[in-house]
Amino acid sequence: GGWSRMRFAALILVGTISLSAGNSINQWTYDNGYKVSVGTVSSCNENVDQFPDKVAPLFAKYGITYKNTYKIVENKVLNKKYVLYQRGCSRPAAADGQDIDGVFEIPLSKVYMSSSTYFGFMELMGERSSMRIINGLYSSSPCLHRQVSDGWTKNAPFTNWCSSTLGYCDLKDTDNNATTPNVQVPNEALNALKIEGSFCTTGLVCKNPIMVSDISENNFYAAGEWIEYFSVFFNREAIVGQFADTTRQRWVTSSEFAMSIQDKKRVLFVSYWKEAYPAYGTYKGWEVKTCDPSTSYTRYCELVKAAGAIAVNSDTSALAGSTPSVYGKGYQAIENSKLIEFAKNVDVIVLESSFCSTPGYDCIAEYVSFFNNLKGIPAVDNKMVFDFGRKADPSGGTEWLAGGQLQPDALLLDVIKSVYPDKVPKHEFVFMRNLLDSVKSGSLDCANVPTQLGCPMTGKELIAKCTDLSATVKLSNEDLVFSSASSPSSTMLVTALACVMSFLLALKH
């Protein structure tokens, strides 16, 4: 709250902060292919601070300690500790500590990315081209699609890091038993890239792993702070730290306004499984999860509360008797009649996922039909049912989890808009859409409003939109305009925040 506001005020007073004497970063050029001048210092004085630009998380579960020529980064969730030392400087003695899990020369310039959630982090700080291997092209980024098309970034969703001997390898079938590939074959093309580090999510095995635990955070803002964790491996603290401060302030300002609204609405998050997968503990029908502090799902209730509404998922005990959820706490395979009774006072429903495999966008109409069986719930009767499908990639997946972590302030404004539409009249949805109003003649109205309803472009169409490989991700940065009948002024305009956001996005560092 107050501390971050003072931090933000200091940023405004500085205004035109000089970045020329900052951390040593990679310089990418694209005049004749992909080229990088790696951020190496020509001489290293170990008595001089090599990292004048620094960041420190406020809420996320990691820590950073800065020394003159190296950094110590600790993932506090998994108890993993890494030493990062500046290129051009000597390897520090700290790198040989018994408790160190990895040592990296920074800035990195060739990395593996295990999750699409992190693509936006890399694009924002100008390191998209450092992503040389990705675990699936689940993205609507034009220039990332172009990088893959150009062969610079390898899309390898079914290739694993097998061992230090085999390196990256593929499973091959040599005994005509296609269901059980029996031989691991080295993937020479990937091994030739000599990946320096892998941003790796829990449960995966990666080369030179840098473990990322954003999924353990209990709120979206803390999850978004992991962009600063990424930045320290590339010396990109300057732009990322300022971006994080501005995002935090926009979140605080929006939430403080929303929480002042007197007439509180009730919001329920639900999922619907079209098929049963008993082997994975999933059963057909409605699922309502409980926001339990012991699970990361509590972030949904935190999001609703920050939007000034009542989180119905806080207590799902009335659904007892339905099949318990396997992943997290809550209930699944809930009958329509039971859900109608449970949600009889719910004002807004948010469908967590409305995945549609390409080109099956008529399936959105199918989701609408499921809700039409829930007449009697105020949210359904009043067409106040939303999902996060406004941004979709060519595979049919939605990008709100990745985008919401990059822009938690925009995600929060979306939720406020869905619950109190008259209170944020100028905000345009970034991730959310009204599900019941999005279907025309049985499917999404993609011909008329392709960029507004989650109608994805093809990979080819996206590549054509990448006309400048040096461009960074485009973010929403509109002025914050709130309407409140209870305040002395009918509207409150916060412009300083948007001005600083525009300043940050204009930085070329």
Side-chain angles (χ1 to χ4, degrees):
W3 185 85
S4 61
R5 274 193 287 272
M6 288 190 292
R7 191 177 174 195
F8 177 72
L11 173 63
I12 293 178
L13 291 174
V14 171
T16 56
I17 184 170
S18 173
L19 300 175
S20 59
N23 299 355
S24 298
I25 62 172
N26 297 325
Q27 301 291 342
W28 290 93
T29 57
Y30 307 95
D31 295 335
N32 186 21
Y34 297 76
K35 294 181 180 178
V36 61
S37 175
V38 181
T40 305
V41 295
S42 56
S43 62
C44 181
N45 184 339
E46 297 190 358
N47 296 316
V48 174
D49 185 1
Q50 303 294 326
F51 312 114
D53 303 320
K54 297 174 174 64
V55 292
L58 297 178
F59 302 98
K61 300 181 181 73
Y62 65 86
I64 308 166
T65 302
Y66 286 90
K67 302 295 183 180
N68 281 348
T69 64
Y70 67 96
K71 314 169 190 177
I72 300 174
V73 181
E74 182 180 6
N75 179 325
K76 296 181 179 180
V77 177
L78 299 177
N79 194 28
K80 298 291 185 181
K81 192 177 291 186
Y82 309 106
V83 169
L84 289 54
Y85 67 98
Q86 173 61 48
R87 290 183 185 273
C89 295
S90 301
R91 177 186 171 104
D96 299 318
Q98 294 288 325
D99 60 342
I100 301 302
D101 297 284
V103 181
F104 302 89
E105 277 192 281
I106 58 171
L108 301 176
S109 64
K110 294 184 289 187
V111 300
Y112 167 88
M113 205 63 56
S114 70
S115 173
S116 60
T117 301
Y118 315 135
F119 293 170
F121 290 178
M122 298 293 286
E123 290 203 88
L124 177 82
M125 60 185 176
E127 291 288 352
R128 179 182 55 243
S129 295
S130 287
M131 295 191 291
R132 300 304 306 275
I133 307 175
I134 57 175
N135 185 26
L137 185 54
Y138 308 115
S139 172
S140 62
S141 163
C143 289
L144 182 55
H145 277 264
R146 179 173 163 184
Q147 281 186 191
V148 172
S149 177
D150 290 344
W152 179 254
T153 298
K154 307 295 184 183
N155 180 24
F158 304 109
T159 299
N160 304 299
W161 174 254
C162 297
S163 68
S164 57
T165 302
L166 293 172
Y168 290 98
C169 74
D170 300 299
L171 293 175
K172 297 294 184 181
D173 175 35
T174 62
D175 60 1
N176 296 319
N177 183 3
T179 59
T180 310
N182 63 314
V183 176
Q184 293 179 329
V185 179
N187 188 312
E188 301 298 346
L190 298 187
N191 289 332
L193 293 176
K194 300 187 183 303
I195 292 299
E196 300 161 346
S198 301
F199 289 96
C200 196
T201 53
T202 303
L204 293 180
V205 178
C206 303
K207 177 184 182 181
N208 300 334
I210 302 164
M211 301 308 296
V212 185
S213 298
D214 57 302
I215 59 174
S216 71
E217 301 294 352
N218 289 339
N219 62 69
F220 282 95
Y221 176 73
E225 274 195 340
W226 282 80
I227 188 175
E228 295 183 326
Y229 180 87
F230 279 75
S231 75
V232 300
F233 290 85
F234 299 91
N235 284 346
R236 295 281 186 172
E237 287 97 331
I239 181 68
V240 169
Q242 294 169 48
F243 168 77
D245 277 340
T246 305
T247 298
R248 173 60 182 166
Q249 270 307 311
R250 289 174 64 86
W251 172 287
V252 169
T253 302
S254 301
S255 182
E256 286 180 349
F257 169 78
M259 294 179 75
S260 72
I261 297 172
Q262 298 299 310
D263 183 19
K264 301 296 184 186
K265 301 297 183 182
R266 298 171 62 83
V267 179
L268 174 66
F269 275 78
V270 302
S271 296
Y272 190 90
W273 297 97
K274 294 184 180 182
E275 302 292 340
Y277 301 98
Y280 297 97
T282 301
Y283 297 89
K284 184 176 180 179
W286 297 105
E287 181 175 28
V288 176
K289 289 187 177 179
T290 308
C291 289
D292 187 281
S294 66
T295 71
S296 62
Y297 198 82
T298 192
R299 67 173 64 177
Y300 292 92
C301 285
E302 292 301 317
L303 181 62
V304 171
K305 292 174 184 176
I310 298 169
V312 179
N313 295 76
S314 294
D315 183 4
T316 61
S317 58
L319 293 170
S322 298
T323 305
S325 296
V326 172
Y327 302 103
K329 298 184 178 181
Y331 300 93
Q332 58 179 319
I334 303 169
E335 297 178 357
N336 288 339
S337 58
K338 194 164 188 174
L339 185 56
I340 291 171
E341 174 61 24
F342 175 75
K344 60 186 177 183
N345 296 318
V346 168
D347 301 293
V348 175
I349 289 178
V350 181
L351 180 66
E352 251 187 87
S353 176
S354 52
F355 176 76
C356 291
S357 58
T358 305
Y361 285 88
D362 289 348
C363 85
I364 295 296
E366 188 178 11
Y367 281 113
V368 171
S369 71
F370 298 149
F371 280 103
N372 286 337
N373 293 324
L374 299 179
K375 299 293 186 182
I377 299 176
V380 176
D381 296 342
N382 297 325
K383 290 192 172 184
M384 295 294 284
V385 176
F386 297 82
D387 74 344
F388 293 104
R390 188 169 292 271
K391 282 190 174 182
D393 63 49
S395 73
T398 57
E399 296 192 3
W400 78 274
L401 276 175
Q405 285 193 190
L406 183 64
Q407 291 183 268
D409 55 329
L411 178 62
L412 176 60
L413 280 168
D414 271 13
V415 176
I416 296 172
K417 178 86 170 182
S418 70
V419 181
Y420 307 110
D422 58 321
K423 302 298 185 182
V424 281
K426 292 192 175 183
H427 176 67
E428 298 291 338
F429 282 123
V430 178
F431 306 107
M432 298 181 75
R433 65 183 171 189
N434 188 311
L435 189 66
L436 301 188
D437 281 344
S438 64
V439 173
K440 307 293 182 184
S441 302
S443 64
L444 289 180
D445 191 14
C446 293
N448 296 317
V449 282
T451 62
Q452 298 178 23
L453 292 175
C455 307
M457 295 182 177
T458 64
K460 187 175 181 179
E461 290 171 328
L462 285 170
I463 292 169
K465 289 178 67 67
C466 178
T467 57
D468 180 5
L469 282 165
S470 65
T472 57
V473 64
K474 184 179 181 180
L475 302 178
S476 170
N477 65 334
E478 85 275 11
D479 291 342
L480 302 181
V481 180
F482 306 117
S483 297
S484 174
S486 61
S487 65
S489 172
S490 60
T491 61
M492 176 171 62
L493 174 63
V494 184
T495 57
L497 301 171
C499 290
V500 174
M501 176 70 87
S502 298
F503 162 71
L504 295 177
L505 295 178
L507 289 175
K508 292 294 183 182
H509 177 44

